Amino acid sequence: MRARSAMTSAALTALVLTLPVTTASAAPAPAPGTAPGTASAGTGGATAPAAFVSLGIRRLLDTRSYRENPTGQARKLQPGENFPVPLSTWKSHPPRELPEVPADATAVVVNVTATNTTEDGYLTVRRDADLPGAPATSTLNFKAGETVSNTVTVAVARRGANTSPQISVYNNAGTTDVVVDILGYYGPGTSTRPAERYDNVMPIRVTDTRVEGGRLGWGSVVTAGVARDSLGTYEATSVLLNVTAVDPSTEGFVVAYPSDGTLPIEGSHLNYGPGRTVANQVVVPVGADGDIKLFNTGSTDLVVDVIGYYGPWAHHLYSAVTEQSRLLDTRDDGQSPFSTHRLQVTGVAGVPENAATVTLNMTVTEPQAAGHLEVYAADQGGRPGTSNLNFNPGQTVANGVTADQGGVQHAVDIYHHSAGRSQLIADLTGYFVQG
């Protein structure tokens, strides 16, 4: 599968069942002797709480193209390479850098895609390319020859006056091309780009073409009502979704955009291939009528779940951890996999008591059978019936998760729906506090 470019791609994340078999290296294990449920690395602090500024979707990096690479050449990432990614677009006539985020941005939301991979391995997206050694966590896992994407929120590193901040991408093994699309940033807004706070909603399914509408083909456009009083999202200016391609029969991609907007020229939110159910967390601005559109290529069913929203009357600001922390790794001590696992996040890795919502990068590895994960507040009174991550036997797959901790227990439940056992890894990327 190819990552979309000029009608190009990037991203994965969430839902029910069915995916391809993959044996890519799992995320790196935590430090020896660190028990699951305890942060193993990256407890060095977090960014100041900030509101979100949506950018739609814009291409920052495509290593396949000299025009979209800060090095000015088309070249793949090498094994063990930390590649700095300025948060800018590039123009060649004359050569110049156009910052996409202000110098005081604290964190960014990006879709990162690995494509043209030569060995099984993983990518880690983190704050600073100058951090020494291999990172202790991972963002996405891939098999040789596979195209894989994930959406991640990551703290940014400063580069100096009059330049945009940067992030970095670490490649674990083999050579790979990398595509990075920015969806938005946390920091101060402007008169034309207001900064909005965030609120969770009970995850709810708003589109399922298996139930209504029928299977999608090339050029199909689905309209989803995402800002509605009945969903608790009527004031949304942008929404946070899980979008899933279910049982595709061809390669393809999905692009989400506001109903009163035009299809973006570059970037995509979801890549899929034959027989592989994949999903990705998506942030997309909402049209004036409360709808979004999803443009599809290929042949697939499509599922859309609403997780939360940004708006002027929402209540929460975001802090990204400056280095991602491992909270759970069931491989570490031979712990048996689970049906439901409770993860206590508040108080771990410096997460404050008033953190209402956490953002995690979750990875399933060594699954014995197909299945999915549901991640939700421990005290919400039952599973929502949506999903956050899908997997097939033998596959290692990761996805970003945003989960309410609930008002009493300050914990999240991870429900493992599968006929077989799996190993689970959870890395903390940040949290929302009231502000």
Side-chain angles (χ1 to χ4, degrees):
M1 184 190 304
R2 66 182 182 90
R4 181 190 183 218
S5 120
M7 276 286 132
T8 307
S9 104
L12 281 156
T13 277
L15 167 77
V16 300
L17 275 115
T18 329
L19 287 194
V21 176
T22 330
T23 55
S25 304
T34 303
T38 303
S40 65
T43 56
T47 62
F52 180 72
V53 179
S54 177
L55 297 177
I57 185 167
R58 304 184 185 187
R59 175 64 40 85
L60 293 179
L61 172 71
D62 187 339
T63 61
R64 302 167 299 179
S65 168
Y66 76 92
R67 296 179 184 274
E68 295 175 307
N69 192 326
T71 66
Q73 59 180 321
R75 76 164 184 86
K76 301 171 77 173
L77 268 64
Q78 301 302 301
E81 180 177 8
N82 255 327
F83 189 86
V85 182
L87 300 171
S88 305
T89 52
W90 306 88
K91 299 297 180 183
S92 55
H93 300 295
R96 63 196 187 278
E97 175 183 352
L98 302 177
E100 288 290 346
V101 305
D104 52 359
T106 59
V108 289
V109 181
V110 291
N111 271 340
V112 179
T113 303
T115 190
N116 300 324
T117 56
T118 60
E119 294 184 23
D120 296 1
Y122 62 85
L123 297 182
T124 301
V125 183
R126 57 179 176 169
R127 175 175 57 91
D128 195 344
D130 294 329
L131 293 172
T137 61
S138 60
T139 301
L140 61 86
N141 298 78
F142 51 80
K143 185 178 175 63
E146 190 177 44
T147 296
V148 179
S149 305
N150 196 5
T151 297
V152 63
T153 302
V154 59
V156 301
R158 303 281 174 249
R159 298 173 59 215
N162 302 318
T163 57
S164 65
Q166 72 176 21
I167 57 176
S168 75
V169 179
Y170 172 84
N171 177 43
N172 156 253
T175 63
T176 181
D177 279 310
V178 175
V179 178
V180 179
D181 293 330
I182 185 169
L183 308 183
Y185 67 88
Y186 289 94
T190 66
S191 58
T192 57
R193 294 179 184 172
E196 310 282 16
R197 288 172 167 79
Y198 174 81
D199 275 346
N200 261 352
V201 297
M202 176 80 78
I204 185 169
R205 185 148 295 166
V206 294
T207 297
D208 188 340
T209 63
R210 299 168 302 176
V211 176
E212 183 178 1
R215 192 171 182 85
L216 304 179
W218 192 98
S220 298
V221 177
V222 175
T223 299
V226 294
R228 299 285 188 271
D229 186 40
S230 60
L231 304 177
T233 58
Y234 66 95
E235 63 170 27
T237 56
S238 295
V239 286
L240 183 64
L241 312 169
N242 278 332
V243 178
T244 307
V246 182
D247 194 25
S249 58
T250 66
E251 293 186 350
F253 59 81
V254 175
V255 188
Y257 58 101
S259 56
D260 52 5
T262 56
L263 181 67
I265 295 174
E266 287 189 311
S268 66
H269 293 95
L270 183 68
N271 291 85
Y272 56 81
R276 185 167 59 134
T277 295
V278 294
N280 197 47
Q281 193 163 257
V282 170
V283 181
V284 60
V286 177
D289 58 0
D291 293 347
I292 63 166
K293 292 182 177 179
L294 300 105
F295 173 84
N296 173 68
T297 69
S299 175
T300 188
D301 276 304
L302 197 69
V303 172
V304 180
D305 298 330
V306 176
I307 306 167
Y309 71 95
Y310 296 90
W313 307 110
H315 301 91
H316 297 93
L317 302 173
Y318 185 73
S319 291
V321 295
T322 51
E323 190 177 353
Q324 295 156 17
S325 307
R326 178 134 302 165
L327 301 180
L328 174 72
D329 189 337
T330 61
R331 304 169 302 174
D332 187 44
D333 62 356
Q335 183 185 85
S336 295
F338 45 82
S339 292
T340 301
H341 186 96
R342 182 153 296 172
L343 183 61
Q344 197 80 38
V345 182
T346 298
V348 173
V351 177
E353 290 293 330
N354 65 336
T357 300
V358 292
T359 58
L360 307 169
N361 197 63
M362 306 206 68
T363 304
V364 167
T365 191
E366 303 172 20
Q368 297 174 342
H372 69 272
L373 298 182
E374 295 183 46
V375 186
Y376 53 94
D379 59 4
Q380 80 175 20
R383 295 187 285 114
T386 55
S387 64
N388 298 91
L389 186 154
N390 298 76
F391 51 88
N392 259 11
Q395 183 184 30
T396 296
V397 60
N399 188 42
V401 170
T402 301
D404 189 359
Q405 290 199 100
V408 178
Q409 298 190 38
H410 286 284
V412 297
D413 279 351
I414 305 165
Y415 177 72
H416 174 252
H417 182 92
S418 178
R421 295 186 173 188
S422 305
Q423 300 289 1
L424 176 67
I425 299 159
D427 297 327
L428 177 72
T429 57
Y431 52 86
F432 287 92
V433 295
Q434 188 155 350

